[in-house]
Amino acid sequence: MKGISPIEQHLEKIVLAIAIIVLLAAFYTQFIAQPHSINEGSPAEVKEKVLDEIDNLRRRLDGPSNVPDYAVSGFREHFASAVDDDAIGRLRIPDRVGQLPPPPPTEIEDAPAYNLPTPPLATDLQIAHGHALLATDAAGGQGNVTNDLIQRVGGRAPYDFQYVSVAATFPFAEWIRRLETGPVRDRVPPRWWGSRRLLAGVVLQRQELNPATGQWSSPVIIEPIPGQLGFIENAEQTWQPGEVQQALLALSDQQTFVQQPPFAPTRAGVPWTPPGEGLASLDPATHRELRDLFEDLATTRDRLDRLMEREQRTQNRPQRETPTRRPARQPTGGAAGMGGGMGAGGIGGPGAGATPTPNRPQPASQLERLQQQEDELIQEIIAILLPEQAQDDNNNFRNQPGPGMGGMGMGGMGMGGMGGPAGGFGGPVGGGIGGRPGVNPGQQASSAITEPTIRVWSHDITVEPGKTYRYRVIVNVLNPLFRRSSIEAQQRAENYRKVALGPSQNELANAPWSEPVNTDPQTFFWLADGSLQQQEAEIEIWTRFAGRWERLEERFQPGDTISGRATIQGPLGVQSLRMDTGSTMIDYASLGTGAASAALLFTTPDKPDLVTRSVDDDRSNINYVRLLNEVDAIDFLQEFGGGAGRSRPSGPGMPPPPGMGGMGGGMGGPVF
């Protein structure tokens, strides 16, 4: 046919051919050719990848949750409690979006009652007892926390106070074991406590000894230092909207400060060290060892100063006006193991000038031997006063300010009172003695606890002079049933608002107490010398004032009250300090044969009988040794900056000694 192209003439055949080709191609790819696949490796590799994904998912399920923990009793109950009909039948909507639901109804049908164990007791108690001087803002703008601290330590300037810090070991693995004990159906669901493996607070329980009866008082809970983060076990806790999540976030982010609360901000005196470390925890034998070291150091330095002055005169060098204190030196080589040179020709060691001939050691001079002995004594004293952990913490003292608040301490939730309203976070936490290095509140300082045991401590700054106390450490854990509503009514009523869960009363009643702690009286006095012929006694009176022990030496005769006034350099300049022991001298006489048995006879307000003192007994008294050590330790730490080769911070006013810091951060928020 004319006008028809070949394609149009055979169109049906062409379409049929294309269809056959497509079908053949599909048949080939689906049934003949190798199917498409993704190479995941060998079966062993595939299994390993699957197990890794399972572990990943399990860690995410058991780890801290980022989803707000809004517990509701069920949709019907929650809706019925959130909305209701008004007078004209319209629904009333809650005022605030995201507001926590009200407490759940008292009855939920078929709700389970779980076996909720109590946490175990802390053991292995360690005690630190010492003196401190509260750091305050001289301008008067202390803030709420500082004002609370001032009232807690007595409210009278210059705010000297005694303290007792108690450390213990908490068996966290035992707490987990108790949660996982018993029939599975009765256990608290692991998903409820898996992300709540946290401590809620650490507090002290205290008893006081009645010296007249020898009986201990009823146990009392010591209020922690104002501004510290944590909770006591309290079933009546009231929460405002938003406080629950803020409290849980604070406990998680600042868990370090819950377990080991920083000490109160202090200045002057000896830096606070954790119980079991430092001067406040020394036993009598170590105190006597430290006394010998201080005396040996003083003798060595005196000999060294005289020898150096003699050499200077021999070499026609200008004599120094005052012997200077030398920083501790680390042995680095040379004839006597001392680094650095001294004078022409050098003493030995790198940089000392002449280098000794190999294999022909030069004999050490007397000066070198004394210098080495001085260094060794300094290192031994540092090891006692500032153990390794305390030295690490103390490295940050350079960055601390003057005696005002700040530079160290709490950076988390601040003071809010017992069950008070939640507040904002404070600033970043610094380092230094009295606190552990911290992080910004936005960062996570710690997550769920994984260690089997945890070292915890707490402080008592309310002890009174001349009293005897003993302690227990109570560790509260984060309650797994806190804000859980789908449980039996009675159990829900007891636990829904209770954030902290403490040990059982039965277990606590049978727990052992610490060894007794004897606090120092307001004033000490010691017999220094006496005269039998003149019936006179030379007595040292010691009183604590502005962070130091002040001493007055006076002669007394029979009938004199053992008291006096000392002129001291106080915080306000030169001032007169009254020192009154309350005791009266009766006689200075021989109780045996000769002067060797001479003794001071006196009376005290609380004892009707005569009391005697001898010079030898007072000089060897452990309290006298301890006071001498504290005086020398303050000078030593000021010289060496809390460690070998460190210098003191500089700044206006009265800079704190090494390691002293204040409480930084904002105020407000849930605390004990």
Side-chain angles (χ1 to χ4, degrees):
M1 298 178 66
K2 294 183 179 180
I4 298 177
S5 66
I7 296 178
E8 292 176 339
Q9 291 180 1
H10 304 285
L11 180 61
E12 294 181 355
K13 295 180 181 179
I14 293 174
V15 172
L16 181 60
I18 292 173
I20 293 174
I21 293 173
V22 171
L23 290 175
L24 290 175
F27 181 82
Y28 177 81
T29 57
Q30 295 296 320
F31 301 102
I32 299 178
Q34 185 71 20
H36 294 288
S37 64
I38 299 175
N39 185 15
E40 289 289 345
S42 64
E45 292 174 339
V46 172
K47 181 180 180 180
E48 184 177 355
K49 291 181 180 180
V50 172
L51 292 176
D52 287 343
E53 288 296 323
I54 293 174
D55 291 339
N56 226 351
L57 181 60
R58 182 179 291 112
R59 282 194 299 269
R60 292 170 60 188
L61 290 174
D62 294 341
S65 175
N66 294 323
V67 180
D69 186 15
Y70 291 113
V72 295
S73 57
F75 177 79
R76 287 188 178 182
E77 294 83 0
H78 175 50
F79 185 81
S81 62
V83 298
D84 63 303
D85 292 332
D86 64 7
I88 59 176
R90 290 176 299 184
L91 292 179
R92 181 174 58 83
I93 307 300
D95 293 334
R96 266 182 280 186
V97 177
Q99 180 175 348
L100 288 179
T106 56
E107 295 295 338
I108 297 180
E109 296 182 2
D110 300 327
Y114 294 106
N115 175 31
L116 179 64
T118 55
L121 293 170
T123 58
D124 303 327
L125 303 186
Q126 291 181 306
I127 302 288
H129 165 237
H131 294 259
L133 177 65
L134 185 66
T136 60
D137 183 357
Q142 287 94 345
N144 293 334
V145 170
T146 306
N147 287 329
D148 289 341
L149 284 167
I150 289 174
Q151 297 305 314
R152 190 74 64 86
V153 301
R156 183 177 179 182
Y159 313 126
D160 286 286
F161 66 96
Q162 295 187 58
Y163 68 86
V164 174
S165 296
V166 187
T169 300
F170 180 69
F172 197 82
E174 170 61 18
W175 163 237
I176 300 301
R177 188 197 67 79
R178 294 184 181 188
L179 286 170
E180 296 176 338
T181 300
V184 175
R185 67 179 182 277
D186 295 335
R187 300 178 192 172
V188 177
R191 67 180 183 278
W192 284 8
W193 54 262
S195 60
R196 293 186 175 184
R197 297 167 60 103
L198 301 170
L199 300 190
V202 180
V203 295
L204 295 180
Q205 189 181 57
R206 186 181 79 185
Q207 283 186 319
E208 180 181 332
L209 180 66
N210 185 330
T213 63
Q215 300 296 316
W216 292 96
S217 67
S218 299
V220 295
I221 296 294
I222 302 302
E223 289 188 35
I225 294 177
Q228 293 185 352
L229 173 64
F231 297 89
I232 61 173
E233 185 174 8
N234 182 5
E236 301 302 322
Q237 178 74 52
T238 301
W239 300 93
Q240 297 299 322
E243 285 184 347
V244 171
Q245 295 306 318
Q246 191 174 16
L248 294 177
L249 180 64
L251 288 176
S252 177
D253 284 358
Q254 302 294 331
Q255 181 65 196
T256 299
F257 297 105
V258 177
Q259 300 173 17
Q260 300 176 349
F263 194 60
T266 59
R267 59 186 175 92
V270 178
W272 180 89
T273 50
E277 307 175 16
L279 189 68
S281 301
L282 298 185
D283 55 40
T286 310
H287 262 296
R288 298 187 190 281
E289 177 187 351
L290 181 61
R291 182 79 247 130
D292 292 339
L293 291 173
F294 275 131
E295 292 177 352
D296 290 346
L297 180 60
T299 301
T300 301
R301 285 183 156 179
D302 185 59
R303 293 175 58 193
L304 188 57
D305 290 336
R306 292 200 304 269
L307 181 60
M308 293 179 68
E309 290 172 358
R310 186 164 60 248
E311 287 196 359
Q312 287 174 342
R313 288 194 299 268
T314 301
Q315 299 175 7
N316 295 324
R317 295 182 178 178
Q319 181 177 345
R320 57 179 177 171
E321 296 180 0
T322 304
T324 58
R325 297 290 182 114
R326 292 160 295 280
R329 297 174 291 275
Q330 296 289 345
T332 55
M338 304 305 301
M342 291 191 64
I347 299 301
T355 303
T357 305
N359 301 324
R360 296 183 61 185
Q362 302 296 317
S365 67
Q366 183 181 5
L367 181 62
E368 290 177 304
R369 291 194 298 271
L370 287 174
Q371 288 176 328
Q372 183 177 14
Q373 183 177 347
E374 179 194 30
D375 289 329
E376 291 173 353
L377 290 169
I378 288 172
Q379 297 302 328
E380 289 185 59
I381 293 173
I382 288 176
I384 294 176
L385 293 181
L386 291 173
E388 182 177 354
Q389 181 61 56
Q391 290 192 55
D392 292 342
D393 290 344
N394 212 22
N395 282 330
N396 295 318
F397 82 92
R398 297 174 185 265
N399 300 323
Q400 296 170 4
M405 302 292 288
M408 185 284 301
M410 293 298 295
M413 308 296 288
M415 180 62 185
M418 194 76 71
F425 281 105
V429 180
I433 294 296
R436 289 295 188 261
V439 297
N440 290 328
Q443 298 172 331
Q444 190 175 23
S446 61
S447 56
I449 297 172
T450 58
E451 297 83 0
T453 60
I454 307 169
R455 179 171 166 80
V456 298
W457 62 59
S458 191
H459 316 287
D460 181 6
I461 61 174
T462 65
V463 295
E464 299 179 17
K467 299 292 184 68
T468 301
Y469 304 98
R470 64 182 187 180
Y471 295 87
R472 291 186 186 132
V473 176
I474 299 178
V475 177
N476 298 316
V477 298
L478 185 54
N479 185 5
L481 299 185
F482 175 60
R483 308 300 289 187
R484 306 297 185 188
S485 58
S486 55
I487 54 178
E488 186 268 333
Q490 181 62 33
Q491 192 173 47
R492 181 173 63 254
E494 294 175 357
N495 293 277
Y496 188 78
R497 294 183 178 89
K498 185 191 296 185
V499 65
L501 184 66
S504 69
Q505 292 302 313
N506 181 56
E507 192 170 10
L508 186 60
N510 296 320
W513 291 88
S514 71
E515 293 295 323
V517 180
N518 300 312
T519 60
D520 293 331
Q522 194 69 36
T523 304
F524 283 101
F525 74 91
W526 315 97
L527 179 61
D529 200 358
S531 171
L532 289 173
Q533 293 181 347
Q534 300 178 4
Q535 286 188 305
E536 284 187 342
E538 183 179 339
I539 296 176
E540 294 181 13
I541 305 177
W542 293 57
T543 295
R544 183 85 180 185
F545 187 79
R548 295 185 66 98
W549 286 103
E550 300 291 349
R551 286 180 283 184
L552 172 67
E553 292 188 14
E554 291 281 358
R555 287 189 171 271
F556 298 90
Q557 293 181 337
D560 291 342
T561 300
I562 303 176
S563 61
R565 284 191 174 275
T567 301
I568 65 169
Q569 182 68 35
L572 302 178
V574 178
Q575 58 189 105
S576 178
L577 178 63
R578 175 70 176 176
M579 298 184 175
D580 190 358
T581 67
S583 299
T584 301
M585 177 177 172
I586 302 300
D587 199 0
Y588 186 78
S590 176
L591 302 182
T593 304
S597 62
L600 171 70
L601 284 70
F602 63 97
T603 60
T604 61
D606 55 342
K607 294 182 180 179
D609 300 330
L610 285 178
V611 185
T612 62
R613 293 270 190 90
S614 70
V615 174
D616 290 341
D617 288 345
D618 273 9
R619 286 181 177 174
S620 61
N621 187 293
I622 187 59
N623 286 324
Y624 185 60
V625 172
R626 180 170 55 83
L627 266 57
L628 289 173
N629 282 342
E630 184 171 342
V631 171
D632 286 346
I634 292 174
D635 294 336
F636 182 89
L637 293 174
Q638 286 179 343
E639 176 184 354
F640 292 100
R646 300 176 187 161
S647 59
R648 296 189 64 194
S650 60
M654 183 185 299
M660 294 293 110
M663 279 189 176
M667 306 307 153
V671 296
F672 288 97

